[in-house]
Amino acid sequence: MLLHLKIIGALLTTLGLAHAVFPRYFDWKNDLASLSLINRQVMQTHNFFIAFVVVGLGVLCLTSGAELTTTPLGSRICLFFSAFWGIRLIFQHFVYAPELWRGKLFETIVHILFTAIWIYMTVVFYLAAGV
């Protein structure tokens, strides 16, 4: 289980750091230009804090796997993480529109990859919770 938590830690840290390129990759400068200043800054702020939390979750998995798998608090945290990533999996298929990826090779690969990652994290955290 500790190996799986370290793998997840590396995945989450990488995902969190990848948020740094989102503004350029998704052309937020142009896309968000039509938003009011408050909405534009909310998007930028939320992106930063999502990245910050995802990196933090990754570091927690990399450094505290034993505590996550052997303590009552760790069990609750793992159960929450399992629910969190399970809900993220649901959003992957029922909130994001299929036309964002269907028929596009790179986007389809990313969609399938993230589906697999969300399933993996949901299952590993559930098993780590020991319920």
Side-chain angles (χ1 to χ4, degrees):
M1 189 56 60
L2 294 178
L3 174 62
H4 291 290
L5 290 176
K6 290 208 180 287
I7 292 169
I8 287 173
L11 287 170
L12 289 174
T13 302
T14 302
L15 176 61
L17 294 174
H19 278 70
V21 300
F22 285 5
R24 185 180 315 177
Y25 181 81
F26 293 112
D27 193 24
W28 283 357
K29 184 175 185 175
N30 289 322
D31 280 356
L32 301 180
S34 63
L35 296 179
S36 66
L37 179 60
I38 186 64
N39 285 326
R40 186 169 50 252
Q41 290 181 342
V42 164
M43 287 290 298
Q44 294 163 340
T45 300
H46 282 196
N47 183 59
F48 172 82
F49 280 100
I50 289 168
F52 186 71
V53 168
V54 171
V55 168
L57 296 177
V59 170
L60 181 65
C61 290
L62 287 169
T63 63
S64 304
E67 292 85 352
L68 288 170
T69 58
T70 61
T71 67
L73 177 59
S75 180
R76 289 183 193 103
I77 290 170
C78 285
L79 191 58
F80 172 77
F81 288 171
S82 178
F84 180 91
W85 294 111
I87 293 167
R88 178 59 184 86
L89 173 63
I90 292 167
F91 272 60
Q92 185 76 19
H93 290 273
F94 297 105
V95 173
Y96 286 110
E99 56 264 19
L100 293 172
W101 58 269
R102 195 172 285 148
K104 302 173 189 172
L105 181 61
F106 176 75
E107 290 82 353
T108 300
I109 291 169
V110 169
H111 174 73
I112 292 167
L113 178 66
F114 279 111
T115 295
I117 290 170
W118 306 151
I119 291 169
Y120 177 65
M121 290 196 293
T122 300
V123 170
V124 168
F125 282 124
Y126 184 79
L127 294 173
V131 271

